[in-house]
Amino acid sequence: MNIVKYNSAAWDREANAGGEWSIPVSPERIQQARRGELGIRLSPNKPVPSGWFPADLKGVNILCLASGGGQQAPILAAAGANVTSFDNSAEQLKRDKLVSDRENLNITLERGDAADLSRFSDGSFDLIYHPVSNLFFPDIGPVWLECFRVVLRSGGTMLAGFCNPVLFMFDKAANQEREGILEAKYPLPFSDVNSLSKEGLQGVIDKNEPLEFGHTLEQQIGGQINAGFSIAGFYEDYWSDKAIELNKYMPVFIATKALKP
């Protein structure tokens, strides 16, 4: 299976179905961003601390990595940044274009695999904005290396959001069918392709859902460090109890601020 191609098509369907991460921001949100009020998120609920961004975003070159959907890229562009939105889904990128055209924003659209940023020259960007999305990447090691080696300028910043891998240990079906039940079933790292039974994997494919991968903290945080970054900021975030029972007991998302020396 070509996972990159499959997930591209799956996210096209998610976008066309009007999913939460494919709803373009309103004109009011764009006006707030133009006043410097970002309120932007790497994870579902908690806004990114304002101190994680440069004091003035005007002229800052930003790569929004796997961040299509008409949400983060337009907000950063409205704040004055030169934004490139890079995503695997053509439909997600269309949402960025919709807001860009509507609000006369400067957003460059690029479609591709986050593990291959070779179209960009070394030192092309000052900041990389990578919200929760690498659960759809089978291997995140090359992504961190590309961000460090090919893209990020010395002294630049990478902001990343990702799942706490504990999220993937539990049986989703048991969670949905028996409220209050948390049944640990899968060892980490998790992969829909390798961890599920043949019937379980076919069920995901039959529903046209994106394939997911639960990367370990060593792969997530250690991977950034091994690529050469220094972790300079960290916070956790919750999701919703309806989405996952585990949310009642612990935060299920993590965000990091990483610097290139």
Side-chain angles (χ1 to χ4, degrees):
M1 174 182 287
N2 185 323
I3 294 169
V4 172
K5 184 177 180 180
Y6 173 88
N7 273 356
S8 175
W11 265 103
D12 284 348
R13 288 187 288 268
E14 291 271 335
N16 287 326
E20 180 180 359
W21 313 116
S22 306
I23 301 173
V25 293
S26 67
E28 291 75 21
R29 284 291 288 115
I30 295 298
Q31 288 303 315
Q32 290 172 350
R34 286 186 166 129
R35 296 194 298 266
E37 303 169 14
L38 294 182
I40 194 170
R41 297 171 294 168
L42 285 164
S43 52
N45 295 306
K46 187 181 292 187
V48 179
S50 58
W52 283 22
F53 294 100
D56 187 356
L57 285 175
K58 292 178 182 176
V60 175
N61 295 318
I62 296 180
L63 175 65
C64 284
L65 184 62
S67 176
Q71 299 180 0
Q72 296 98 0
I75 288 175
L76 292 167
N82 302 318
V83 176
T84 297
S85 179
F86 187 98
D87 201 279
N88 189 29
S89 164
E91 291 299 325
Q92 285 288 85
L93 290 172
K94 283 182 181 179
R95 273 66 182 169
D96 284 342
K97 186 176 189 305
L98 183 154
V99 183
S100 178
D101 291 347
R102 188 189 75 202
E103 305 292 343
N104 193 28
L105 300 172
N106 178 26
I107 302 177
T108 300
L109 305 177
E110 296 280 354
R111 183 183 176 193
D113 177 5
D116 179 10
L117 304 178
S118 57
R119 72 189 69 181
F120 303 119
S121 61
D122 293 1
S124 296
F125 300 97
D126 303 299
L127 186 146
I128 295 173
Y129 193 87
H130 177 45
V132 174
S133 54
N134 68 32
L135 71 157
F136 305 111
F137 304 169
D139 184 5
I140 58 173
V143 177
W144 302 137
L145 290 171
E146 282 284 84
C147 287
F148 186 88
R149 181 181 59 84
V150 180
V151 182
L152 206 59
R153 289 175 178 162
S154 180
T157 303
M158 179 175 68
L159 308 182
F162 46 90
C163 299
N164 187 317
V166 175
L167 180 69
F168 294 93
M169 290 174 54
F170 298 97
D171 186 347
K172 291 181 181 179
N175 185 181
Q176 294 167 351
E177 295 171 4
R178 295 175 286 168
E179 185 176 353
I181 297 296
L182 280 169
E183 181 180 321
K185 185 172 183 179
Y186 303 108
L188 299 174
F190 172 85
S191 162
D192 275 344
V193 176
N194 297 319
S195 302
L196 298 180
S197 64
K198 290 183 179 179
E199 294 78 12
L201 175 59
Q202 191 59 51
V204 173
I205 294 172
D206 289 345
K207 289 185 286 187
N208 295 316
E209 295 177 342
L211 296 171
E212 296 184 355
F213 302 86
H215 308 293
T216 65
L217 290 178
E218 182 175 356
Q219 292 169 329
Q220 294 281 15
I221 299 174
Q224 294 181 51
I225 295 169
N226 290 339
F229 290 105
S230 297
I231 304 299
F234 180 100
Y235 66 84
E236 295 177 297
D237 194 13
Y238 289 85
W239 195 1
S240 73
D241 294 352
K242 182 179 180 181
I244 179 70
E245 188 79 14
L246 182 64
N247 194 73
K248 294 179 180 178
Y249 304 98
M250 64 176 290
V252 292
F253 291 98
I254 292 168
T256 53
K257 176 182 180 180
L259 302 179
K260 182 172 183 178

